[in-house]
Amino acid sequence: MKYFSLNKRKHTSNFEDAVVRGLAPDKGLYFPERIARLPDSFFANLDKMDKYEIAFQAIKEYVGEEIPTSELQKIIEETLDFDFPITPVENNVASLELFHGPTLAFKDVGARFMAGSLGYFIKKGNLGKITVLVATSGDTGGAVANGFLGVEGIDVMILYPKGKVSEIQEKQLTTLGKNITAIEVNGFFDDCQAMVKKAFLDEEITGQRKLTSANSINLARWLPQMFYYFLAYQQLMEKEQELVFSVPSGNFGNICAGMLAREMGLPIDHFVAANNANDTVVDYMKTREYKSKPSVPTISNAMDVGDPSNFIRVLELFNREYTSLEKALSAYTYDDRTTRKAIEKVYSESGYIMDPHGAVGYLGLKEYLEKEKNAFGVFLETAHPVKFLDTVEEVIGDKVEIPPAIQSLFNKKKKSLQIDNYEDLKGFLLS
Ligand SMILES: *Cc1c(COP(=O)(O)O)cnc(C)c1O
């Protein structure tokens, strides 16, 4: 498969090059030259396939010959070695739980697949050693650190803002050791991101180290996110109702992977982009004009994005035809007060505990189901509620049970490198 850049559209690349680069040289996002539609036989046999086979069939055309079958299968097995259960919450409403992986968020899927792919390309031999440099406001860092832990040939440096990530998130970043270095920045997330950007442009650094990013625009993080839409459909294929997926969205990578699956033939009727107060896409769907906004902080902070990078891929999937996009996508926005109330209501009525991101997804689904009363809806629970313990326990007035893997984190010792400014980072990268 070839990929072209959504910026000037001239640059094309193969899978390996696109994964190693992240962004195209013209700063555009990579997009596949064609959508790999799945044959009827795939859907006819779907009920008999295991999750690894389904994922392999879904992604094989996008990877092509660049990773041999047995290696790709191994990467998929490592990526998907946890469960993706669908839990009924109300009549015609269910939660697709994407938080059973090592860092309790759906980002584990993309991070592991990317680590596996990059690890393979390095092992094959012509890339040399690579440094993955990322800034995180919380969830990305943990997933990337975990995914890349112990991968030969890759050093990972994660910048996070001191005192601004939750205790669990910090433990997930700082207790791994090996090839993972946590860099604690005396500043805000924006400072971390600015330092990372500067480092990528700094020739003294890039002359000495091959840098790559592991953020959500990378193809190897975006594409594998389609896996769980197929796995969910497999559990729902008996239903004769219209099928809707509501995705709590920030940078729009997750929902865009689901919409790609739909274009490949997966019979999902409609998507809901559920947003917190960061409503750039909600406005776009109303006005057909895309205007980025500064991000505003919310309790669902992994979705605090005012200029969602992957939305351009959504537009491309629909050839920029608004009428076909509108048939497939609705977008809604909710403030924190409404989100808190939803967590409380669902907990008191059904005992199900939603995290603030999943709760936004739930709200979006309910709003759509008011119009389409006979549809069956799934909202994506993108993180375990324990990751947002303070908010969730305060709202439900109850304790959230802490999973054993997280319990043990509390006994591990934090190790981080403290820095104040770019010169500190540069000094470290050059040492
Ligand atoms: C990253 C994240 C999101 C947003 O996903 P996008 O692909 O950026 O739209 C939603 N929920 C949680 C918990 C996340 O970590």
Side-chain angles (χ1 to χ4, degrees):
M1 180 73 78
K2 281 256 185 288
Y3 295 87
F4 67 94
S5 162
L6 286 177
N7 191 5
K8 299 210 177 86
R9 294 174 182 258
K10 280 204 266 289
H11 172 86
T12 60
S13 203
N14 61 9
F15 180 72
E16 171 172 347
D17 192 42
V19 170
V20 173
R21 285 177 189 273
L23 272 181
D26 64 7
K27 307 279 177 245
L29 270 70
Y30 283 110
F31 197 84
E33 256 185 356
R34 83 198 146 71
I35 305 299
R37 275 195 75 88
L38 289 156
D40 293 345
S41 57
F42 171 83
F43 293 101
N45 293 320
L46 192 61
D47 58 336
K48 297 176 209 76
M49 288 193 261
D50 67 16
K51 59 182 174 183
Y52 308 114
E53 181 62 18
I54 292 172
F56 175 73
Q57 294 299 335
I59 207 156
K60 69 173 190 205
E61 286 233 30
Y62 294 103
V63 177
E65 313 274 277
E66 295 175 56
I67 301 179
T69 298
S70 61
E71 291 285 342
L72 181 57
Q73 284 168 332
K74 212 166 77 195
I75 294 170
I76 289 171
E77 272 167 36
E78 284 163 8
T79 301
L80 296 181
D81 82 340
F82 51 89
D83 293 328
F84 300 84
I86 293 182
T87 305
V89 174
E90 291 168 9
N91 191 26
N92 288 334
V93 172
S95 162
L96 170 58
E97 297 182 351
L98 303 178
F99 57 69
H100 295 277
T103 72
L104 312 184
F106 80 95
K107 290 189 174 74
D108 283 326
V109 173
R112 282 179 161 195
F113 190 87
M114 180 176 171
S117 304
L118 205 53
Y120 170 76
F121 293 135
I122 287 176
K123 198 169 60 185
K124 209 180 61 176
N126 38 22
L127 287 176
K129 225 172 150 50
I130 287 188
T131 302
V132 170
L133 189 64
V134 268
T136 185
S137 58
D139 269 354
T140 298
V144 167
N146 221 283
F148 282 88
L149 180 65
V151 177
E152 206 68 42
I154 301 181
D155 283 327
V156 180
M157 322 255 164
I158 297 169
L159 280 72
Y160 74 98
K162 184 182 173 78
K164 312 234 169 22
V165 302
S166 77
E167 189 185 356
I168 289 175
Q169 286 173 329
E170 182 169 48
K171 287 279 185 189
Q172 286 179 331
L173 287 175
T174 57
T175 58
L176 292 167
K178 292 194 188 161
N179 58 331
I180 313 295
T181 307
I183 302 178
E184 192 173 1
V185 177
N186 197 358
F188 295 89
F189 170 65
D190 288 344
D191 301 316
C192 302
Q193 204 162 28
M195 286 187 201
V196 167
K197 281 194 176 147
K198 204 165 168 182
F200 275 95
L201 298 173
D202 190 327
E203 285 173 5
E204 263 179 89
I205 295 173
T206 55
Q208 205 174 311
R209 270 179 191 269
K210 193 159 187 167
L211 293 184
T212 191
S213 164
N215 63 21
S216 76
I217 49 97
N218 195 296
L219 279 183
R221 277 192 61 188
W222 174 48
L223 293 172
Q225 296 177 141
M226 71 170 128
F227 294 162
Y228 40 75
Y229 293 90
F230 287 95
L231 303 182
Y233 176 73
Q234 188 193 34
Q235 298 174 63
L236 300 168
M237 57 198 286
E238 306 273 274
K239 300 213 181 284
E240 280 160 11
Q241 292 151 279
E242 180 190 337
L243 200 54
V244 192
F245 278 66
S246 176
V247 187
S249 294
N251 224 356
F252 276 69
N254 195 359
I255 194 168
C256 186
M259 297 182 96
L260 174 67
R262 181 178 183 271
E263 293 306 298
M264 291 164 64
L266 188 67
I268 295 175
D269 296 288
H270 199 80
F271 281 89
V272 173
N275 290 125
N276 60 24
N278 294 279
D279 58 357
T280 304
V281 171
V282 179
D283 278 0
Y284 171 82
M285 294 305 287
K286 276 191 203 135
T287 62
R288 307 190 187 190
E289 239 182 287
Y290 185 90
K291 279 205 197 107
S292 67
K293 306 180 180 188
S295 64
V296 291
T298 72
I299 54 169
S300 47
N301 60 11
M303 314 198 304
D304 295 350
V305 181
D307 187 9
S309 336
N310 282 291
F311 190 61
I312 188 170
R313 284 183 169 143
V314 174
L315 295 175
E316 186 67 22
L317 270 176
F318 290 85
N319 296 318
R320 295 168 191 267
E321 284 163 19
Y322 182 83
T323 34
S324 38
L325 173 62
E326 191 187 36
K327 283 198 199 101
L329 179 72
S330 303
Y332 306 118
T333 168
Y334 304 96
D335 61 18
D336 283 351
R337 201 180 63 95
T338 312
T339 307
R340 283 198 164 91
K341 269 168 61 184
I343 297 173
E344 187 188 6
K345 178 189 136 242
V346 168
Y347 180 65
S348 68
E349 286 175 4
S350 71
Y352 191 74
I353 305 178
M354 303 187 295
D355 96 288
H357 304 76
V360 172
Y362 167 85
L363 284 163
L365 182 60
K366 291 292 275 189
E367 186 160 346
Y368 182 77
L369 292 180
E370 268 170 39
K371 280 197 312 196
E372 297 293 332
K373 295 207 166 28
N374 296 318
F376 186 89
V378 175
F379 66 95
L380 274 55
E381 235 315 359
T382 45
H384 194 291
V386 81
K387 287 193 98 169
F388 305 92
L389 204 58
D390 295 349
T391 306
V392 174
E393 288 190 340
E394 185 206 305
V395 172
I396 67 172
D398 234 328
K399 287 270 169 226
V400 178
E401 202 181 317
I402 300 184
I406 295 297
Q407 278 296 2
S408 68
L409 269 182
F410 288 105
N411 307 325
K412 291 192 184 153
K413 210 172 142 42
K414 162 182 161 181
K415 234 182 117 187
S416 72
L417 179 84
Q418 312 242 357
I419 66 168
D420 287 318
N421 52 41
Y422 182 71
E423 291 312 310
D424 291 350
L425 176 67
K426 184 167 177 169
F428 174 69
L429 287 173
L430 292 176
S431 69

